Amino acid sequence: MSRSTGRRLGRAGIRDVAAAAGVSITTVSDALNGKGRLPDATRSHVREVAERLGYRPSAAARTLRTGKSGLIGLTVTTYGDEPFTFTEFAYFAEMARAATSAALARGYALVILPATSRHDVWSNVALDGTVVIDPADGDPVVTELVRHGLPVVSDGRPGGTLPVTGWVDNDHEAAVLGLLDHLADAGARRIGLLTGNTTDTYTRLSTTAYIRWCERVGQDPVYESYPAHDPCAGAVAADRLLARPDRPDAVYGLFDPNGTDLLAAARRYGLRVPDDLLLVCCSESTVYATTEPPITTLSLKPRRIGTAVVQILIDAIEGLGDGRPVEQVIPTDLIVRTSSQRRSPRTTVSPPRGPAGD
Amino acid sequence: MSRSTGRRLGRAGIRDVAAAAGVSITTVSDALNGKGRLPDATRSHVREVAERLGYRPSAAARTLRTGKSGLIGLTVTTYGDEPFTFTEFAYFAEMARAATSAALARGYALVILPATSRHDVWSNVALDGTVVIDPADGDPVVTELVRHGLPVVSDGRPGGTLPVTGWVDNDHEAAVLGLLDHLADAGARRIGLLTGNTTDTYTRLSTTAYIRWCERVGQDPVYESYPAHDPCAGAVAADRLLARPDRPDAVYGLFDPNGTDLLAAARRYGLRVPDDLLLVCCSESTVYATTEPPITTLSLKPRRIGTAVVQILIDAIEGLGDGRPVEQVIPTDLIVRTSSQRRSPRTTVSPPRGPAGD
DNA sequence: TCACCTTGCAGAAACGTACCTTCCTCCGAG
DNA sequence: CTCGGAGGAAGGTACGTTTCTGCAAGGTGA
C-alpha cells in the first residue's frame, strides 16, 4: 500500500514528484541535482514533472541532510539601548549592500543578527558562517561561534586574541597619518581631532595615530571625544572643540556626521572654511560633495570590504583556502575637496553645467 | 547495543544529552522547551547537563519538524544592474533597522533577499513570511510566494491586484498636498517639483498629487524628472529645474539627496534660500538640520513603518489576526526648518550652546 | 479490593531530503 | 555458455528534532 498518495494539502514533496513521474525518489533527487548516472531523457522528464507540480525542495530538509544552509550571519556590535544600532550609517549600508551582493552571487543569503549574547535567536537559525563588524575584545558571541566550529570573518581587525577565520580592515593608522600630512601641507598649524570615547578598534587606532603624529611634529594634541552613537553629542563636541582657547585651524572628524557638525559650528563662530579652518571627515556620504563648501572626506571603501569579507568567509565555508587565517588590508581613499585646500579659490568638483552667475 | 555513544566529533545532539542525563530524548526535549509534565528537579537537571555539554538544538531539524523557521525575508525591488539597490539610503537603513529590531523582539530574524525571480536563492531558505518594499505591479516573486501560502506584507501600497497579506504606507497624496499648502502659506507663487521617472507607487502618487494641486490653485506644473537611482542625474535635474525660463520660487524634491542638490544649484544661480527660493525635500537624513540654511524635510517615518510591517507579518504567521488583509496608514511628519520659512530671519533649531559670534 | 485518575517518563513515528548500497539487465569478449 | 562490467534505477538509512501515544507506579474514593 502506498501511503505516498493522498497528500491532503500543502506543497508537493519529492515523493509526489517521484510518484507522478513513475520513478523512485532517488532518481528524482539525482535528476534535479545533476548527480547520478541518468540518461538525459529521464532527467528532463523528471524536471518537467517537478515543474508541473510546482515542486520546491524543502530547504529545512536539505539543510538537515547536507549540513549546509546557505545562510551567512551579519552582525553589528550594538551600542545603545536598541538591539541593533548603526553608527556610520552610510558606511554600514554600503558595506551590507556589497556583502549581500557578493553573497547572493555565490548562492548564499545574509541574515541580520544582533550582537548580543541572547542565544535564543542565534541557535534558532542554521548558519554556515558569520560576518562580524567590529567585534569587541573577547566578544562572547564570536568565541562561542568559533568554538562550535563556525567560520567567522570580521570587518575590522579583531581585538585581543579573538580566534577568527580571517579579517579585512583598512590601515587606519596610515590613513590618519596621510590625512594629517595632507592638512599640514595645506597650511594647517594646529590640527584638532573629533573622536569617539568608545573602545572599538577603529576609534582607538585612529586616535593613537593622531597622537603619535602630533608627537612627531611637535604639536600639542587638541581633541574632543564623545559617544559616537549619539548624533546630538557630536554637534556639541564639535562646538566644544572650536570653543577652546587653543582653537585648531584644521579638524579631522572621525565619524560620518562630523562634517556637517563642524561646518555648522564653524559658522556659529564666524570661521570661514577653508580660509580660517580646514576640514576633513571620514564618511561615505555623497552629501559632502555638494555642501558649501564641499568637504574633503576619507572613504574606508565599504564596498570593497564587504565584498572581501564575504569572499573570504565563503571560501572558508567551502574549504577552498588553506586552514590559516586570511588577513586583508584595503586601502583608504582620500577624496580631496575644497574644505582642505587653501590654495584653490573655487570648487574643484565640476558642477553639472557651468551657468553659475559669477 | 547503544549506537548513541561514541559520537566521534561535532556538536552534541539531543541524544547525547539524554544519555548523559540518564533520561529519554522526550524528557530532554520537554525539559528544554518547557513542555510536558516534569518535576522541576528533572527539568533543572536536564538543563544543567545540556549546558555542560554545550548543547544547541539543530535549527534545521527543528524547522523540518515544526515547519517554522523563525526567518522573515526582506526584499527591496531592484533598479539598476546591482542585484540589490537602495535608493533613499537613509529611509531604507532606518526602515530595515526598525524591522530588524521588531522581528528580533518577537524571536524572528531577517534574511535579505533579492527581488529577482531567481528561484535558486529563494527556495534555498525556509521562510515563514516576507516583507516586500515597494513591490511592482504583479510582481512575480510576490505572486509566487503568496501562491505557496506564505504571508507577504508590503511597505508601500501594492500596485495592481497583488494579493498580499497586508500593507503599510503613508498617505503620500495628503503629505504632498499639505506640504504644498505649507509652501504656499510661506509665500510661494510657483512651486516646482523634482521627481523620478520610475513607475513605483511613491513617485506616481506624489507626482499626481502635485499635478492635482496645481490644477486646484491654477498653477502650471513645473517639474523635472530623472532616474532616481542615479545620484548624478539628480544634481543635473536640479540644475535644469532652476535654469528654466519659468523658474519656480519654491521646490519640493521627492528624493533624499535632492535637498543638497537643489541647494547647490541655487548657489550656482545666486539664489538665496529661503529669500529667493523655498526648499523642501523628502528625507530621513539628519544632515538637513545643519546645512546652511537648514532644510525643511518630509519624513515618511520609516521606523514606524518597519515596525508595523513586521508586526502585521508576524501576527499573520502566528495566526493571530483574522484572515483579512491588514492595511495601515502611517502619518508623515513635516519637519519645518529655515528653508521654507520666509518670515523667520534666524535658524529655528537651537544650536547646542549660544556662543555664536553674532 | 477495584476502578480510576494523576504524575513521570519512554517509544517511536514522522518531517523531506541526500546518498550509499544494492540490484537488475543487457551486451560483448573469452 | 559464462563472466565481467557498465548503465540505469530502486531500497533504505540517517540527519536531529518534536510530539503523539502509551505505560507503569502511586494515590484516592467507594
Side-chain angles (χ1 to χ4, degrees), chain B residues 14 26 29 35 55 62 65:
Chain B
I14 198 175
T26 307
S29 178
K35 302 197 170 178
Y55 167 70
R62 169 176 291 165
R65 181 64 235 250

Side-chain angles (χ1 to χ4, degrees), chain A residues 254-270:
Chain A
L254 275 189
F255 301 104
D256 200 301
N258 290 163
T260 44
D261 291 341
L262 286 164
L263 210 50
R267 270 197 302 271
R268 281 195 295 277
Y269 288 101

Side-chain angles (χ1 to χ4, degrees), chain B residues 38-119:
Chain B
L38 298 178
D40 287 348
T42 310
R43 228 176 262 281
S44 57
H45 173 228
V46 169
R47 289 210 169 109
E48 184 184 307
V49 172
E51 174 74 17
R52 184 158 49 76
L53 296 185
Y55 167 70
R56 298 273 171 268
S58 149
R62 169 176 291 165
T63 300
L64 178 59
R65 181 64 235 250
T66 62
K68 300 255 154 270
S69 65
L71 291 179
I72 292 176
L74 176 62
T75 284
V76 183
T77 39
T78 156
Y79 290 97
D81 42 347
E82 288 250 13
F84 204 66
T85 315
F86 308 65
T87 328
E88 310 123 341
F89 253 176
Y91 177 87
F92 178 82
E94 285 286 314
M95 187 277 184
R97 173 155 79 109
T100 305
S101 291
L104 289 171
R106 294 188 63 172
Y108 289 75
L110 251 55
V111 185
I112 304 181
L113 290 172
T116 70
S117 48
R118 295 194 55 210
H119 290 307

